[in-house]
Amino acid sequence: MLTLGIETSCDETGVALHCERRGLLAQALHSQVAMHERYGGVVPELASRDHIRRLLPLARQVLDDAGVALADVDAIAYTEGPGLAGALLVGAAVAQSLGYALRVPTIGVHHLEGHLLSPLLSADPPSFPFVALLVSGGHTQLLRVDGVGRYALLGESVDDAAGEAFDKSAKLLGLGYPGGPAIARLAESGTPGRFDLPRPKLHSDDLDFSFSGLKTAVATRIARGLPDAGARADLAAEVQAAIVDVLVAKSLAALRATGLGTLVIAGGVSANRRLRERLAEASARDGLRVHCPEPALCTDNGAMIAFAGSLRLRALRNAGAPLPAAGAFDVRPRWPLEALGAA
């Protein structure tokens, strides 16, 4: 089965083609970072308009790269939520229109489920069950993953997500958008430890996160003045260290709590080099398995949507259930991952 995947949840337009037998055949991605950078964050209306401009050319590119005709596509998968309503509607409308024209099954996919399952596309895929650290601009969650659709929430952020902490700290430091890569670049020339920033909930008895206090501490430190030219880099290094310390500590605590020995990280922040290094050190020290997907699979992308949609459709087919046909549709800007049923 050939599944065309469409991702338009926020500021990246992703299209990919996945074959049930051969795996990922082709993918293409357009990032809107340069467009939104001047505003210091995503402008929803501009994001939606750009998805309209980019989506069909990217779909044609993916089909050409895979050497596949549109008529050969067997199914369409698209991001139904969560995300920006207008951006989601663009992808949903195109997907449903293609599905209706081709008369093929068309399925809405949960964006976070796409991230959770994307490591299965890696060269070294994990096996169920595992603990997943889902860490992105809008979400920071720890989950036990026992199979497709079988997710148990272990902990989540009670306020800002890790990605938001990076973005807000970067803005306070006068850096660009998105904040995670900007902080990481500046941190390369800095040294953590010069400034004392908090690690919220680092030693709490639960697996929840909190990063709003970190942003406040950064603002307070900057308001007091930075003493020299190297201070900004040192502060960026401390911001990164504080976030990574909490993510690593909570992830290891989740493994201990569940008795599992495999950790998967997914989402945009999972591309952070320092986070990967710290988890690799823990893996070597404690005999754990840590799966970090390739950087191209960390950001929002069409491959994860095509793959998740393909798995969902296969489960329906194996169960003898009717496959979803294109037609009337809606999107879900807010859609709790735990509301998903098992495939």
Side-chain angles (χ1 to χ4, degrees):
M1 182 170 67
L2 289 175
T3 303
L4 186 71
I6 294 174
E7 155 62 23
T8 62
S9 64
C10 189
D11 61 344
E12 285 161 321
T13 312
V15 181
L17 188 66
H18 180 270
C19 176
E20 195 170 17
R21 181 172 53 85
R22 297 163 53 198
L24 183 63
L25 300 184
Q27 66 171 322
L29 182 73
H30 173 76
S31 174
Q32 300 175 3
V33 165
M35 180 177 69
H36 295 296
E37 187 173 10
R38 71 188 70 174
Y39 305 103
V42 177
V43 181
E45 178 64 20
L46 293 180
S48 301
R49 293 182 182 186
D50 199 61
H51 287 310
I52 293 171
R53 285 192 293 268
R54 307 288 180 179
L55 191 47
L56 289 179
L58 285 176
R60 285 193 289 267
Q61 177 186 332
V62 165
L63 291 170
D64 288 344
D65 290 347
V68 171
L70 180 59
D72 295 327
V73 172
D74 299 306
I76 311 288
Y78 65 95
T79 302
E80 186 176 346
L84 301 175
L88 291 167
L89 282 169
V90 173
V94 170
Q96 292 284 348
S97 298
L98 286 173
Y100 187 81
L102 296 172
R103 299 186 182 278
V104 298
T106 305
I107 188 168
V109 172
H110 196 294
H111 177 77
L112 298 183
E113 180 171 58
H115 274 305
L116 274 183
L117 299 178
S118 63
L120 299 177
L121 288 168
S122 298
D124 179 29
S127 299
F128 299 119
F130 54 79
V131 168
L133 171 65
L134 182 57
V135 56
S136 65
H139 300 85
T140 301
Q141 296 179 323
L142 280 164
L143 302 109
R144 177 183 173 121
V145 179
D146 288 292
V148 179
R150 299 168 59 195
Y151 314 127
L153 182 65
L154 303 174
E156 62 184 339
S157 180
V158 299
D159 41 55
D160 288 353
E164 289 177 292
F166 272 122
D167 287 342
K168 292 175 180 178
S169 296
K171 189 172 184 178
L172 290 167
L173 284 164
L175 302 176
Y177 170 84
I183 290 277
R185 284 193 297 271
L186 184 57
E188 291 291 333
S189 57
T191 303
R194 178 178 178 181
F195 300 103
D196 184 20
L197 294 181
R199 273 69 168 163
K201 295 183 74 68
L202 180 64
H203 300 295
S204 64
D205 294 330
D206 55 40
L207 296 173
D208 288 334
F209 302 87
S210 171
F211 291 107
S212 63
L214 175 62
K215 170 204 64 181
T216 302
V218 173
T220 301
R221 176 64 259 185
I222 292 174
R224 288 165 52 193
L226 298 178
D228 54 57
R232 286 175 74 252
D234 290 341
L235 186 54
E238 181 65 11
V239 169
Q240 178 175 249
I243 294 172
V244 169
D245 283 350
V246 174
L247 293 177
V248 171
K250 294 287 185 175
S251 297
L252 297 180
L255 289 171
R256 290 193 295 270
T258 59
L260 298 178
T262 301
L263 174 71
V264 168
I265 61 172
V269 179
S270 69
N272 181 275
R273 185 176 62 83
R274 185 56 185 150
L275 175 60
R276 289 175 176 242
E277 289 174 350
R278 287 286 308 281
L279 289 173
E281 292 167 3
S283 172
R285 182 186 66 241
D286 301 335
L288 306 171
R289 292 200 69 195
V290 176
H291 290 264
C292 304
E294 290 81 355
L297 295 174
C298 293
T299 60
D300 295 347
N301 62 84
M304 67 184 192
I305 302 304
F307 181 59
S310 177
L311 292 178
R312 286 280 175 178
L313 289 170
R314 183 174 65 186
L316 289 172
R317 192 173 63 239
N318 291 343
L323 300 183
F329 66 92
D330 199 357
V331 294
R332 307 192 209 191
R334 297 183 182 276
W335 187 7
L337 181 62
E338 50 269 31
L340 283 179

